[in-house]
Amino acid sequence: MEHFSLLQGIWRVGNHYWRSKAKNYAILLLMVIIGLNITSVYIQVWLNQWRNVFFNTLQDRDMTAFLDSLYLWGGLILAAWAVSVYQNYLRQLLAVSWRSWLTDRLLGEYLQSKKYYCLQLQDNGIDNPDQMICEDVKLFIDSLLKVFLWFLYNLGILCSFTLILWELSGSFSLSWRESSITIHGDMVWIAVAYALMVDFVMGKMGHPLVQLNFLQQRYEANFRFALVRLREYAEEIALYSGENRERHLLSNYFKKVYDNLQRSIKRQKILDSLIFFLCRGTEPLPYIVAVPRFFSGELQLGGLMQVTGAFEKVQRSLLFFSSWYKEITELKAIVKRLVILMDTMEEFKRLGQKQSIKIIEAPEAAFSVENLNLKLPNGELLLDNFAMRLQPGESLLITGSSGCGKSTLIKAIAGIWPFGEGHIYIPQNQQCLFLPQSPYLPVGTLREALLYPRSSQEYSEESIQGILKKCCLEHLLERLDDQENWSHVLSLGEQQRIAFARAILQRPQWLFLDEATSGLDEATEKKLYSLIRSELKGTGVMSVGHRKDLFVYHQKILTMKGKGCWDLVA
Ligand SMILES: Nc1ncnc2c1ncn2[C@@H]1O[C@H](COP(=O)(O)OP(=O)(O)OP(=O)(O)O)[C@@H](O)[C@H]1O
């Protein structure tokens, strides 16, 4: 990403929208916006000609012509107002449509093949992808449309006013030894030379802002994320009285925001003072160049005002790059972040296709694992050449000391652990359900949390109520339709019972329990395991657990012994 091209980046992030189903609407809107943009250039040309007429009426002391020119000015300003309002309005419509399409696409990609989880496993330069999808997409589209339309406007102004300036310019002679040449268009050449010099200086001075803006967005996102975590873990932090530590952490995050902002502001100050000096400090320049022709009578007052106005327009449009430097550097930083996100997701998809732990849907009835070498990201072995087979209705308990890799084996079976190699065969068209130690309960009604990720239409009221009773949750029957953040309201044991109820309702063919009863007392744990055995007779069960009581509910025991060693007994 060192040599990052803005145009290539924009193409990479933006091109798909213009080839999507929404393209007809988008192209139509863009055409109308461009039409309005050209009209606004035309109005500026007209206003420039009006300057000539207007100042001549002053010079001639002609009241009738003066009033006529005022009416004309009113009409032109009215037209400029309508064009500007509608251009803005349609630009925002286009931005909303583009944003909704791009957000939808990125969300689709991000949620596909469990990338939202797997991207966190490796250091890939992406932090806070959620904020990239939420904020960078919006900023990218807003900023790109603004810069594009401003560029187009300036191009129109540059072309039309260069022609006007050329027409109204005088000539100057250059002589060397005996020969001399006369060059027409003095005002045009002076404007071009001046603007090129300014653009060069500003380009050099403003370059560090690209990296500073890129870092600024990253630091701001990290600070926001730390604040979100504080809210998410408020209870735990309060119980530990971890306020001082949190304060320290948050201050550190904010310090990075602050330091980078300081550097950015200092650099911007240099740029601003340059812009001011180069733009305002040279205001008399066109008068100085044109005034000899005015004093000699070659130009009327109107002509002088028109030519200086045109000079200013040409100069301003040539200065587009430098005066928009901040906007362009911010756009570049945003595009760079989105390109990194898209490239990483693309790379992940490519690698996923040649994933070394292969999950294969097989026509057989049994679930099996063959030649599995399960590893840590640093290559350390957790399981060496592991193999096992589980028939429908059979159950396996995975035990071993803490940190030996039990949960990691479950993650590998779920297809979210990429480190290692081997084959995992899952019977075709059969549902696997994974219950982690801490169940996920979405914010919403308890009914939605219970049935997640299914919808409530799929289950009858009796079956929902019946299962809650069986899982010792009858006290929650009244609250099925209450809206809450259930993971903050229910105890860990209650959440785990909800997860069991969910599993029994969904009736998967294969159920994987990762210490899914760790928050329960032994009596409730026994009750739930017995329930699984009586309600889900044909379901193959694989559990991770430490308690000896669990042995009786499983026919096979896998003991993970560390350093890749394992032992499987039936
Ligand atoms: N994302 C990760 N990156 C690097 N190492 C990881 C990651 N996730 C887990 N590990 C490491 O993998 C090892 C196995 O972890 P795992 O959670 O599978 O252990 P476990 O046997 O389930 O432990 P416990 O019984 O305490 O739950 C641990 O050493 C852990 O630090």
Side-chain angles (χ1 to χ4, degrees):
M1 274 286 153
E2 270 305 299
H3 303 290
F4 173 75
S5 148
L6 177 60
L7 287 182
Q8 275 176 0
I10 290 173
W11 175 252
R12 169 89 178 86
V13 178
N15 82 86
H16 296 284
Y17 173 67
W18 299 92
R19 294 190 276 144
S20 71
K21 274 192 199 147
K23 73 169 184 240
N24 290 343
Y25 173 72
I27 290 172
L28 182 69
L29 270 183
L30 188 66
M31 288 300 144
V32 179
I33 295 169
I34 291 175
L36 289 172
N37 196 289
I38 294 169
T39 311
S40 66
V41 172
Y42 186 66
I43 292 173
Q44 289 302 321
V45 172
W46 214 338
L47 275 169
N48 178 261
Q49 282 161 359
W50 171 87
R51 257 167 96 88
N52 192 339
V53 176
F54 178 75
F55 282 100
N56 280 340
T57 63
L58 291 181
Q59 193 178 31
D60 300 343
R61 296 183 168 75
D62 182 344
M63 186 53 136
T64 325
F66 173 75
L67 289 177
D68 282 350
S69 68
L70 275 189
Y71 294 138
L72 178 61
W73 178 83
L76 286 174
I77 288 302
L78 214 62
W81 165 78
V83 165
S84 152
V85 167
Y86 273 89
Q87 200 187 158
N88 252 340
Y89 171 64
L90 296 179
R91 178 175 56 78
Q92 287 174 44
L93 281 188
L94 179 59
V96 168
S97 156
W98 194 352
R99 182 180 174 192
S100 109
W101 187 90
L102 188 55
T103 305
D104 190 53
R105 181 188 156 95
L106 285 179
L107 277 181
E109 282 269 317
Y110 187 52
L111 290 171
Q112 198 188 43
S113 313
K114 304 190 169 37
K115 282 191 206 94
Y116 54 91
Y117 171 78
C118 298
L119 287 179
Q120 311 170 20
L121 290 177
Q122 282 153 306
D123 180 20
N124 40 37
I126 297 186
D127 28 42
N128 306 310
D130 37 303
Q131 303 211 14
M132 291 185 186
I133 294 173
C134 176
E135 267 184 34
D136 285 352
V137 166
K138 176 181 177 304
L139 291 174
F140 162 70
I141 293 167
D142 285 348
S143 180
L144 177 62
L145 284 177
K146 245 201 252 168
V147 170
F148 169 69
L149 291 173
W150 195 235
F151 173 75
L152 208 65
Y153 173 79
N154 278 287
L155 195 66
I157 292 282
L158 181 66
C159 295
S160 42
F161 280 88
T162 305
L163 277 179
I164 293 172
L165 200 59
W166 188 265
E167 292 284 310
L168 297 173
S169 283
S171 320
F172 62 98
S173 298
L174 287 178
S175 42
W176 191 62
R177 293 186 182 168
E178 271 105 64
S179 53
S180 81
I181 48 165
T182 304
I183 297 172
H184 182 70
D186 53 359
M187 303 282 282
V188 175
W189 294 116
I190 289 171
V192 169
Y194 167 78
L196 283 181
M197 185 264 292
V198 174
D199 278 345
F200 176 75
V201 174
M202 300 299 278
K204 282 270 169 235
M205 296 306 295
H207 185 67
L209 268 182
V210 178
Q211 185 63 9
L212 288 173
N213 282 337
F214 177 79
L215 289 176
Q216 191 62 32
Q217 280 155 23
R218 168 176 286 184
Y219 295 149
E220 299 270 8
N222 288 345
F223 179 55
R224 258 196 307 266
F225 183 62
L227 279 169
V228 171
R229 270 180 71 86
L230 173 65
R231 191 166 41 134
E232 189 64 19
Y233 292 98
E235 187 181 317
E236 291 82 349
I237 293 167
L239 287 172
Y240 277 115
S241 297
E243 300 80 17
N244 286 341
R245 183 83 193 114
E246 289 301 311
R247 178 83 196 258
H248 179 69
L249 279 174
L250 286 167
S251 301
N252 277 351
Y253 277 119
F254 187 72
K255 188 165 182 327
K256 288 193 174 163
V257 171
Y258 177 83
D259 289 348
N260 197 66
L261 207 53
Q262 286 277 339
R263 283 193 285 274
S264 233
I265 290 171
K266 280 184 189 145
R267 180 54 59 168
Q268 192 61 47
K269 187 185 84 185
I270 300 175
L271 271 186
D272 286 347
S273 59
L274 269 177
I275 289 176
F276 187 86
F277 172 72
L278 292 169
C279 294
R280 304 297 306 276
T282 54
E283 264 169 15
L285 185 66
Y287 292 93
I288 295 168
V289 179
V291 95
R293 290 169 60 222
F294 176 65
F295 287 162
S296 72
E298 198 186 322
L299 278 179
Q300 295 277 78
L301 177 64
L304 177 72
M305 297 313 285
Q306 189 183 5
V307 81
T308 51
F311 180 89
E312 200 179 295
K313 290 277 178 210
V314 171
Q315 185 196 29
R316 286 264 156 96
S317 57
L318 282 169
L319 289 176
F320 161 78
F321 180 68
S322 40
S323 55
W324 277 69
Y325 205 85
K326 184 163 183 281
E327 191 85 21
I328 291 173
T329 52
E330 272 169 16
L331 176 64
K332 203 167 176 180
I334 295 162
V335 171
K336 194 170 166 185
R337 282 164 61 81
L338 286 173
V339 167
I340 292 177
L341 176 67
M342 289 172 112
D343 281 355
T344 312
M345 294 208 285
E346 192 78 22
E347 176 76 359
F348 180 85
K349 197 151 83 186
R350 222 169 36 77
L351 288 179
Q353 278 153 8
K354 21 182 184 144
Q355 178 104 291
S356 35
I357 298 182
K358 295 212 176 339
I359 314 283
I360 301 159
E361 286 212 21
E364 297 167 39
F367 169 92
S368 60
V369 178
E370 284 177 15
N371 309 320
L372 178 68
N373 292 319
L374 189 64
K375 295 178 182 167
L376 287 180
N378 63 10
E380 194 184 311
L381 258 183
L382 294 173
L383 275 177
D384 183 14
N385 203 16
F386 174 62
M388 58 142 295
R389 200 172 178 80
L390 206 62
Q391 296 297 337
E394 274 189 336
S395 51
L396 168 88
L397 176 67
I398 307 170
T399 61
S401 56
S402 173
C404 66
K406 303 180 290 295
S407 302
T408 308
L409 174 58
I410 299 284
K411 285 182 204 164
I413 293 169
I416 59 172
W417 188 261
F419 310 104
E421 56 275 340
H423 295 91
I424 296 170
Y425 296 94
I426 296 175
Q428 240 164 22
N429 303 323
Q430 297 205 344
Q431 191 202 348
C432 296
L433 186 68
F434 295 84
L435 302 193
Q437 185 171 10
S438 173
Y440 173 64
L441 302 181
V443 177
T445 64
L446 182 61
R447 186 186 303 277
E448 284 162 352
L450 172 67
L451 304 178
Y452 184 85
R454 304 259 176 98
S455 70
S456 52
Q457 285 88 4
E458 295 177 52
Y459 302 97
S460 68
E461 190 62 26
E462 295 81 64
S463 61
I464 291 175
Q465 298 209 2
I467 208 64
L468 279 183
K469 285 182 198 151
K470 284 182 186 165
C471 292
C472 318
L473 291 166
E474 46 278 88
H475 58 288
L476 294 176
L477 282 174
E478 299 290 300
R479 307 198 58 193
L480 268 172
D481 294 308
D482 288 2
Q483 293 263 357
E484 290 283 1
N485 185 352
W486 292 102
S487 50
H488 286 177
V489 172
L490 301 178
S491 72
L492 178 63
E494 283 173 324
Q495 292 182 39
Q496 291 185 337
R497 276 176 275 161
I498 291 275
F500 265 83
R502 194 186 270 169
I504 295 170
L505 277 171
Q506 292 191 14
R507 313 192 70 76
Q509 282 86 4
W510 301 94
L511 182 61
F512 299 86
L513 310 167
D514 186 0
E515 300 194 43
T517 51
S518 60
L520 300 173
D521 57 275
E522 285 173 21
T524 316
E525 182 181 57
K526 274 185 190 163
K527 192 167 173 186
L528 289 183
Y529 264 99
S530 310
L531 198 62
I532 290 274
R533 286 289 43 124
S534 60
E535 294 279 333
L536 304 177
K537 288 203 171 67
T539 297
V541 177
M542 198 184 275
S543 322
V544 172
H546 292 283
R547 290 190 191 151
K548 291 253 176 308
D549 309 2
L550 291 179
F551 281 52
V552 291
Y553 299 103
H554 300 85
Q555 287 123 13
K556 296 181 176 176
I557 312 290
L558 166 67
T559 310
M560 294 178 68
K561 298 178 169 173
K563 297 204 163 64
C565 300
W566 53 276
D567 186 27
L568 182 62
V569 288

